[in-house]
Amino acid sequence: MSIFSEVGPIKYEGPDSTNDFAYKVYDKDRVVLGKKLGDWLRLTVAYWHSFAAGGGDMFGPGTWTRPWSGNVTQEMAAARADAAFDFFTRLGTPYFAFHDADVIADAATLPEHIDNLKKIEDIFAKKISETGVKLLWGTANLFSHPRYAAGAATNPNPEVFAYAAGQVRAILETTHRLGGENYVMWGGREGYDTLLNTDLKAELDHMGRFLNMVVEHKHKIGFKGPILIEPKPFEPTKHQYDHDVAAVYAFLQKHGLEKEVKVNIEVNHATLANLDFEHEVTAAYAFGIMGSLDINRGDPRSGWDTDQFPNNAQDLTPAWLEILNQGGLHTGGCNFDAKLRRQSVDINDLYIAHITGIDTLARAVLSAESVIKQKKLATLKAARYAGWETPFGKEIAGGKLTLADLADLAVKKGLNPKAVSGQQELYESIIAQNQKV
Ligand code: XUL
Ligand code: CO
């Protein structure tokens, strides 16, 4: 008897179902634009929020009492894995993601850490082959331990940089052996709290060197998945170097890694950066660095990373319009980097949170599909840029004309272009009118 055994497996029952423990929209086999809904979404449960955290916050300890709560011993790590894979299977989500620190007992030394990780890797390998649940990505926790208070790759002390290298090598190799499809690097404390004590240039150079080492090692061991940087503008540090997608792309270019490294975009991190999620997604595709998604939402009135489960499909529809138009996430997926509220102490809250989040994503995909099938938005947008398809537009974009040539041409043609409507309200109404179920 597991803690989850009263519920599940969760099934698709359709929009008329009143069963809290059923999908109303997420029918994984439903074909959307030639591909199954489940294959567009590649749903992923985050180990840390759902199986390693206890509901604590800055003002009080954990509130969720689970059989696996408390300090992690190796035995508890195994019990945690049993519970986690039972939940994944009952929920019907095909992937999971984890940090090294989520799954192993705290270690006093690096060799002990590596040894603990190897033991849990063996447990995970067995679970993966028994259940068919796959690893979307692995990552190293380089931010919780006090040694990382001043960062990992950007730490003023090279010994910390070296310790972090030891941790990353171990979990990257574990991720590879477990068939992980990506490897994620969120810049936990790669940033600063005050510039007064910070050598910004040195720290960025060190971060670039670290990333190059990770990429070199990935190739050495034959890991085929992409390395993904996860942008976030601040928290825990006052300024995080991987601020947003554009900042990450500039950093990758500077270090010659723009063809090697992609991004893992998190909804709540975009919100904190004062950017729309669809902006981050669209920018990543435009730069050719779209990797994967951390799905959650912030709170409109809180200025921090509340990591709530999503529940508003219309908010997510513009991002899905872009994702569907771009052909999907490839090796990426939708990882619920989202946590229950501190008062949500019941184990069933975990089901409700994921089911609602999954149905919300499914609604966004179906709404975006409807927009695409209607063709109206694409037609309007194409018409808006039609001038660039004319010989005149192509000549300008082609790069042959100088500024002076073009200035003379504008006079010769007697150009006097007038403002045309951007029709924002019409575009917005198309999104609203195509909301599904
Ligand atoms: C923190 C965050 C992390 C990363 C993985 O804001 O999003 O959980 O996703 O380290
Ligand atoms: Co995240």
Side-chain angles (χ1 to χ4, degrees), residues 325-336:
N325 276 330
Q326 296 286 346
L329 297 169
H330 307 289
T331 66
C334 290
N335 169 47
F336 283 103

Side-chain angles (χ1 to χ4, degrees), residues 248-268:
V248 169
Y249 187 59
F251 176 80
L252 294 177
Q253 283 181 307
K254 171 151 170 50
H255 294 280
L257 291 169
E258 73 276 14
K259 300 263 182 296
E260 291 280 357
V261 177
K262 296 183 160 51
V263 283
N264 182 42
I265 300 171
E266 177 163 326
V267 183
N268 203 167

Side-chain angles (χ1 to χ4, degrees), residues 114-431:
I114 293 167
D115 191 49
N116 286 351
L117 187 62
K118 184 74 194 74
K119 285 185 190 130
I120 196 76
E121 178 188 321
D122 295 341
I123 295 174
F124 275 1
K126 195 157 168 278
K127 292 276 173 204
I128 287 171
S129 81
E130 278 167 14
T131 61
V133 174
K134 293 169 282 186
L135 177 59
L136 188 72
W137 48 262
T139 189
N141 178 326
L142 303 178
F143 45 89
S144 295
H145 194 281
R147 78 173 62 85
Y148 295 122
T154 62
N155 201 290
N157 180 357
E159 291 184 4
V160 178
F161 184 107
Y163 200 103
Q167 240 184 283
V168 170
R169 178 199 180 173
I171 183 69
L172 178 59
E173 291 181 0
T174 290
T175 301
H176 179 42
R177 284 191 294 265
L178 291 176
E181 299 187 23
N182 310 266
Y183 180 79
V184 164
M185 297 175 77
W186 167 54
R189 292 180 195 271
E190 312 296 23
Y192 59 80
D193 292 321
T194 171
L195 272 176
L196 293 174
N197 69 4
T198 302
D199 185 341
L200 181 140
K201 183 176 183 312
E203 293 201 358
L204 285 169
D205 286 349
H206 298 157
M207 201 164 95
R209 182 65 205 125
F210 195 88
L211 191 54
N212 261 299
M213 289 164 105
V214 174
V215 169
E216 281 157 23
H217 195 68
K218 158 202 141 142
H219 288 302
K220 191 169 162 231
I221 63 175
F223 180 68
K224 295 280 175 280
I227 305 289
L228 308 179
I229 301 281
E230 184 175 322
K232 187 174 185 181
F234 55 82
E235 197 209 66
T237 68
K238 173 193 156 95
H239 175 90
Q240 306 265 132
Y241 293 132
D242 297 326
H243 191 276
D244 54 34
V245 168
V248 169
Y249 187 59
F251 176 80
L252 294 177
Q253 283 181 307
K254 171 151 170 50
H255 294 280
L257 291 169
E258 73 276 14
K259 300 263 182 296
E260 291 280 357
V261 177
K262 296 183 160 51
V263 283
N264 182 42
I265 300 171
E266 177 163 326
V267 183
N268 203 167
H269 295 179
T271 309
L272 293 179
N274 252 325
L275 296 168
D276 293 322
F277 176 52
E278 62 266 30
H279 168 90
E280 291 293 75
V281 166
T282 306
Y285 279 116
F287 300 146
I289 56 169
M290 171 48 103
S292 194
L293 303 176
D294 269 9
I295 294 295
N296 55 21
R297 73 182 153 104
D299 181 286
R301 292 191 298 103
S302 300
W304 63 89
D305 201 9
T306 59
D307 282 345
Q308 287 164 261
F309 282 83
N311 60 7
N312 186 330
Q314 193 164 330
D315 271 0
L316 293 169
T317 303
W320 276 98
L321 186 58
E322 182 67 10
I323 297 165
L324 298 186
N325 276 330
Q326 296 286 346
L329 297 169
H330 307 289
T331 66
C334 290
N335 169 47
F336 283 103
D337 193 350
K339 63 182 179 224
L340 295 179
R341 299 304 89 189
R342 191 164 183 263
Q343 294 180 58
S344 303
V345 297
D346 294 345
I347 197 69
N348 283 348
D349 294 328
L350 202 57
Y351 276 116
I352 302 294
H354 281 91
I355 292 167
T356 309
I358 290 168
D359 269 348
T360 300
L361 280 175
R363 274 193 190 93
V365 174
L366 297 186
S367 304
E369 178 199 27
S370 176
V371 172
I372 290 171
K373 284 189 163 164
Q374 189 194 32
K375 294 197 170 75
K376 188 169 168 182
L377 189 145
T379 306
L380 283 168
K381 203 164 164 180
R384 190 160 188 251
Y385 288 89
W388 291 97
E389 299 305 321
T390 64
F392 179 57
K394 285 188 174 157
E395 200 185 357
I396 298 174
K400 296 247 159 54
L401 295 176
T402 65
L403 186 70
D405 292 339
L406 192 53
D408 290 344
L409 199 58
V411 173
K412 201 172 139 208
K413 280 179 171 266
L415 296 184
N416 190 11
K418 303 276 179 306
V420 291
S421 176
Q423 297 174 295
Q424 181 171 337
E425 297 78 5
L426 179 57
Y427 282 85
E428 287 167 353
S429 88
I430 293 173
I431 297 296

